[in-house]
Amino acid sequence: MNSIIVGLLTMGGLGLFFASVLAIASEKLKVKEDPRVEEVYEALPGLNCGACGHPGCHALAEAIVAKGDLDGLRCPPGGSASDEKIAEILGISVGAEIRKRAVIKCGGGKSLAGQRADYHGIKTCTAAQLVVGGAKACTFGCLGYGDCVTVCPFGAIRIDEEGLPKVDELKCTACGLCVQACPRKIIDLVSCANRIVVNCNSHDKGAQVRKVCKVGCIGCMICVKVAPEGYTVKDFLAKVNYDKGDAVAEPGQAKCPTKCIVKL
Amino acid sequence: MDLLLIFISAAIVNNFVLSYFLGICPFLGVSNRLEKAFSMGVASTFVMVLAAMATWIINNWILIPFNLPFLQYVAFIIVIASLVQFVEMFIRKSSPTLYRSLGIFLPLITTNCAILGLALLSALREYNFLQSLTFGFAAGVGFTIALCIMAGIREELDLAPIPEPFKGAPITLIIAGLLALAFMGFAGLISG
């Protein structure tokens, strides 16, 4: 009985002692934080996605307040909406930045691209890719199990009736999570101003591409001949020179024999 | 000589992570980058030394005189948790730079079982003040060594051709097991 009372008193005393020390310390050692950090933090989406290159939204808020400027410290998912709010808090104006969105570089849907096997495993692209590179005959194209759909925090990607992901440009914030999630690395972040893209990711030679897909890039170089400024072809795959703009790329798009250069 | 023995024993032979299997979660969680592992190790060492001191005082001045050693677990947890909280506040006020480099790790350390294990072991072995201080410091050094070795290996693993199913957690656990095996080689060095 006695030891219970002593035990209770001792533990109670210890608890009380530490509680009061902590209570005093939290008052005495309070750190004054710039109140704007909290406001800026509130204006950010709070996803902690890390797309800005900072460890989390709070770190970005601190960096923005410390710099007093949005230059190079933008939040990709928050986009212009959060930029404006932050600019208001800091009393500065927002510079213009062109929005980006995810572009999926594959047009080989069910009716256009062949399968080389039946796949009955786990229905994710990552799992399918692990099993000898998936069932699709084209080893570069979209597997269509929608890992990008699952990972997208904004519901901006859906799988269409052809079994290919489609990006909703209005919802996409270019956070880049789908780029990382895709085991075949066929998603790029491209400025919304660039409407013309090469809708293929295959580095196979032309003959092989023709065997497996009706809309693949065969590396024929026609686009480069028609619009030398607008395209580069490397390893049998054409790429739009995005910085040159759509006007330069336009003639190449019209002449593409497999129609793999598309206008979104 | 006695202190040196305690140091080598706690840091290497009876390494907290690799032979007592205490503090496994930071060992696996914070060991992907060498720099981060080292910060975590330093922060842990710091807290371990403080905890060794504080728990020794509580144990020898309060619990033993009142004949309450059965309350060690509860009392030590309270001491360690409040100590870490206090240290965090103190560092935040006095050195923002140190706070930023240790900041994230300090709250994590509160719940690290290696710290509680350290306090309980030094009470069990009836160390005097200097001995428990050495024990705490050595345990911290051992923890840092284990973490840094692991982080070094894991950085190399990023570039190694690991079979797909083993990537990530599985290979890390295998490495942890092999490291523990390797550390068993020190077993004959000192007994106790």
Side-chain angles (χ1 to χ4, degrees):
Chain A
M1 192 61 206
N2 192 26
S3 72
I4 292 176
I5 293 168
V6 176
L8 277 176
L9 283 176
T10 320
M11 289 311 292
L14 271 180
L16 204 65
F17 172 71
F18 285 119
S20 41
V21 167
L22 283 182
I24 294 167
S26 75
E27 266 313 304
K28 290 266 174 201
L29 299 175
K30 208 175 218 165
V31 177
K32 282 202 186 69
E33 204 180 37
D34 195 330
R36 290 182 303 172
V37 171
E38 208 50 42
E39 283 176 45
V40 171
Y41 176 67
E42 291 293 320
L44 293 168
L47 294 161
N48 289 321
C49 64
C52 56
H54 289 268
C57 293
H58 203 271
L60 177 65
E62 276 175 19
I64 290 174
V65 172
K67 205 176 174 206
D69 194 354
L70 277 169
D71 190 30
L73 294 168
R74 282 168 204 275
C75 168
S80 54
S82 73
D83 280 355
E84 276 162 27
K85 271 191 240 164
I86 295 167
E88 204 174 297
I89 295 164
L90 298 175
I92 54 166
S93 63
V94 197
E97 191 184 49
I98 298 155
R99 256 169 57 84
K100 285 186 168 186
R101 89 296 204 198
V103 168
I104 290 150
K105 297 179 292 179
C106 179
K110 280 176 195 154
S111 59
L112 298 168
Q115 298 285 105
R116 57 177 172 169
D118 276 337
Y119 177 71
H120 294 289
I122 304 163
K123 298 275 184 232
T124 69
C125 308
T126 314
Q129 175 74 6
L130 284 177
V131 184
V132 294
K136 197 164 196 162
C138 170
T139 53
F140 294 93
C142 173
L143 290 160
Y145 296 109
D147 282 14
C148 47
V149 179
T150 321
V151 81
C152 181
F154 310 100
I157 310 179
R158 64 180 177 83
I159 300 284
D160 68 1
E161 49 287 345
E162 274 288 298
L164 287 176
K166 286 279 167 282
V167 179
D168 183 340
E169 282 187 25
L170 296 174
K171 288 186 186 162
C172 178
T173 63
C175 69
L177 288 175
C178 51
V179 177
Q180 288 165 23
C182 180
R184 290 190 157 182
K185 303 286 168 230
I186 64 171
I187 308 179
D188 270 351
L189 297 180
V190 179
S191 160
C192 286
N194 290 103
R195 310 310 305 173
I196 294 174
V197 296
V198 176
N199 208 14
C200 182
N201 188 45
S202 174
H203 288 288
D204 276 334
K205 287 186 183 171
Q208 171 67 15
V209 174
R210 277 194 191 282
K211 246 184 249 169
V212 297
C213 182
K214 291 190 181 114
V215 289
C217 174
I218 51 175
C220 64
M221 309 287 286
I222 288 178
C223 51
V224 179
K225 274 174 205 138
V226 181
E229 286 273 288
Y231 299 89
T232 36
V233 175
K234 201 185 160 216
D235 297 337
F236 311 102
L237 179 62
K239 223 174 143 36
V240 179
N241 294 333
Y242 291 124
D243 48 338
K244 295 282 192 295
D246 275 2
V248 183
E250 191 94 55
Q253 190 233 334
K255 284 278 187 274
C256 178
T258 57
K259 303 276 170 259
C260 75
I261 303 176
V262 294
K263 199 165 189 179
L264 292 177
Chain B
M1 192 58 213
D2 183 31
L3 294 181
L4 189 69
L5 257 169
I6 290 179
F7 185 87
I8 293 175
S9 156
I12 296 171
V13 183
N14 294 319
N15 188 292
F16 266 59
V17 180
L18 295 171
S19 92
Y20 287 152
F21 308 114
L22 293 169
I24 293 291
C25 27
F27 179 59
L28 297 177
V30 206
S31 61
N32 41 5
R33 288 284 164 269
L34 194 55
E35 199 183 329
K36 247 165 67 181
F38 187 71
S39 311
M40 177 73 180
V42 171
S44 301
T45 311
F46 180 64
V47 174
M48 275 173 161
V49 172
L50 281 177
M53 282 197 279
T55 51
W56 188 89
I57 291 170
I58 298 286
N59 193 37
N60 285 274
W61 292 1
I62 298 175
L63 296 182
I64 291 176
F66 288 129
N67 200 19
L68 295 168
F70 61 90
L71 283 176
Q72 270 171 354
Y73 283 79
V74 195
F76 288 175
I77 288 172
I78 295 178
V79 174
I80 293 164
S82 2
L83 192 73
V84 174
Q85 281 288 310
F86 182 77
V87 169
E88 196 188 343
M89 284 185 219
F90 184 74
I91 291 180
R92 195 170 179 190
K93 176 83 178 175
S94 59
S95 163
T97 338
L98 187 65
Y99 177 74
R100 222 164 291 144
S101 53
L102 294 184
I104 339 146
F105 300 119
L106 277 174
L108 281 177
I109 296 167
T110 322
T111 49
N112 187 341
C113 53
I115 315 265
L116 184 65
L118 162 96
L120 290 170
L121 276 175
S122 77
L124 187 74
R125 294 179 185 169
E126 296 177 345
Y127 283 148
N128 66 29
F129 188 69
L130 207 56
Q131 281 172 329
S132 22
L133 209 64
T134 316
F135 187 53
F137 181 64
V141 170
F143 187 73
T144 313
I145 291 174
L147 227 63
C148 286
I149 293 177
M150 189 66 173
I153 296 176
R154 282 181 72 176
E155 280 189 351
E156 295 294 316
L157 280 182
D158 282 351
L159 306 171
I162 307 162
E164 287 284 347
F166 281 99
K167 271 188 183 156
I171 193 76
T172 312
L173 289 170
I174 292 170
I175 298 287
L178 289 175
L179 268 181
L181 263 179
F183 264 69
M184 274 186 77
F186 290 114
L189 199 60
I190 304 165
S191 50

